[in-house]
Every structure is written in structure tokens, then in C-alpha cells.
Amino acid sequence: DLGGWVTIDNQGGTTYPDAKLKLVAGDIHRAPQDGREEYAKRALEMADAAPSAGAFEERTFFEYHLYDLPRPTTIKNNQTKQIRLLETASVRTQKVFRLAGAPWYYTQQYGGEQGLKVGVYQEFENRERDGLGVPLPAGTVRLYKADADGTLQLVGEDRIDHTPDGEKVVLKIGEAFDVVADRRQTEFEVVASGHVWEEAFEVVIRNHKQEDIVVQVVEPLPGEWEMLSNTHDYEKLDAFTVRFDVPVEAGGEAPLEYRIRITY
């Protein structure tokens, strides 16, 4: 379930009784202050608002999105007030385990690392078919999950940018407690005049959870590259990034091995 709230913090030195509230979501360019901003601000405040009923009503406005509060609200001086922006249930989401590499792994002899943390992400499509399909303003998203007695516990938070309908939302929730990885470079060979290297890597993922998982191993590859051999299929995300999806059984471990040629 997804709920959105707007926080109004009035530090203006006065109370605004029965105020019409409009929220503009988007990246608005502001010119350097020269005294004319106050005139533009007053002109915007004088803009009339079309009345509406129910919760916040969203509509496009120039290259932004405008949210109208359909009823007046009083905002007292030094008051922080929360107003519901949106609410929807049963949004289809996916939890993702991801281990991210680094480009410098491939530019030198590299012994390896142990006990690497695996990131936990929550991803969803901002589409009507998945339970959403509304413009989402930038802000902090907090993820809660009910524990055994039904109490909601905070499990992580992340910040999103303004997200239009149809785009994907990726939230970094935290690091997995029960999933760890070791990485080592098993071979490093200079093939031609210091500009062509052949390297082999092994990534071992251990799953201490009581359920099977899949870990995405994302490798950023510098320069021109050619995959010479690999134990798992990979997807080429862009010119310099590949992703291996590595299944790991509950209580088990899985090794990923690959050999690559890098040319600078």
C-alpha cells in the first residue's frame, strides 16, 4: 500500500486562515534575486484556483504538475501540518538483491574482498496496471513492514526524484543481513603492450536465509571488453555494464565465474 503526505512548515511569521493551497511538483528554474521575484510571487499567489471535491486533485501545469487542495485549510504560524496527497492499495512491487562492482577492479591486479554487503532494493513501475499510474512528486519514501504481532516497523527509506506516470521507481532499502559475498581476481594477464588485459574473477554468494533468492551482480566494465567465458548468462545493460542473475538456494552458496578481455 502506498500513501503520500505533504508536510507544510509555516515559518512565515503569520497565520493563514482558510488558505487555498497549491503544490507545484517539478524542477523550476529560479533566476538570481534582483527584487522582481516578489512581484512574480504575488502574481502567482493571486492566481485563481478551480474548486474541487475530495482529496488533492492533480493536473498538468506548464511543464510541471499542480496539486490543488480542494478545501481551504488554516495554517498557523510556526505550525507543521501534514496533508494527505495520495493513497492507493496493492501496488505490485519486487524486492531485489544487488551486488555492485567497481570499474577499478579491472585496471590492476586485485586480490579480492570478503564479506561484501549485498544491497536490498524495492522496485515498482509507476503504471496503472500495477496499482499506480500517477505523477509522484520528489520526496522521501519510507518502507514499513508488519512484524509477527502486526506492528509496522520501518525497514528502510530512500529519496525519489519527480517521477512521471510510466516510469520505474527504484528504492535502496538497506543491506541484507543474511546474504554476503566474497570477490577475488583469479587471473590477471597483460596480453599486448600494457593495453590489453585478460582477467578472471570469482564471486561467491552465501545465502543464510531460509528461502531461495536471486542476486543481481552488476559489473561496470571500463574500456572495450569481450566476455571470454562465464558460468552464468549475463544481460548487457549498456555499453559498459553487464548484469548476472545468480540463483542461490536457502542455506547454500553459489559461485559466479567469468573471464574477460579489457582493451584500453
Side-chain angles (χ1 to χ4, degrees), residues 13-78:
T14 186
T15 294
Y16 298 94
D18 296 328
K20 291 181 178 180
L21 182 61
K22 291 174 177 286
L23 306 174
V24 179
D27 298 315
I28 301 175
H29 182 261
R30 302 295 301 274
Q33 294 188 8
D34 61 359
R36 289 177 290 182
E37 283 189 335
E38 284 303 315
Y39 174 81
K41 181 180 178 182
R42 288 195 299 271
L44 184 59
E45 290 172 347
M46 293 171 60
D48 193 23
S52 58
F56 264 104
E57 181 177 303
E58 178 274 330
R59 55 194 168 92
T60 57
F61 175 70
F62 191 62
E63 295 303 317
Y64 316 116
H65 282 268
L66 189 67
Y67 298 82
D68 288 303
L69 186 65
R71 56 194 178 279
T73 185
T74 296
I75 307 173
K76 298 179 181 180
N77 186 36
N78 295 324

Side-chain angles (χ1 to χ4, degrees), residues 201-206 231-232 246-248 253-258:
F201 291 88
E202 179 187 56
V203 179
V204 178
I205 303 169
R206 294 185 296 279
T231 58
H232 295 69
V246 182
V248 192
E253 67 176 36
L256 162 67
E257 298 177 357
Y258 66 94

Side-chain angles (χ1 to χ4, degrees), residues 144-147 149-154:
Y144 295 85
K145 183 177 176 63
D147 63 14
D149 63 5
T151 304
L152 290 178
Q153 304 288 352
L154 177 68

Side-chain angles (χ1 to χ4, degrees), residues 7 13 60 85 88 94 96 103 117 167 170-171 180 191 221 237 240 248 255 264:
T7 301
T60 57
L85 176 66
T88 184
Q94 179 183 11
V96 175
K117 295 182 179 297
E167 291 297 312
V170 179
L171 304 173
V180 294
V191 177
L221 307 174
L237 302 181
F240 304 105
V248 192
Y264 270 100

Side-chain angles (χ1 to χ4, degrees), residues 151-180:
T151 304
L152 290 178
Q153 304 288 352
L154 177 68
V155 296
E157 67 179 22
D158 200 1
R159 185 168 180 84
I160 64 170
D161 200 353
H162 302 292
T163 305
D165 177 14
E167 291 297 312
K168 187 176 184 178
V169 177
V170 179
L171 304 173
K172 174 68 180 292
I173 301 303
E175 311 288 351
F177 190 97
D178 294 318
V179 184
V180 294

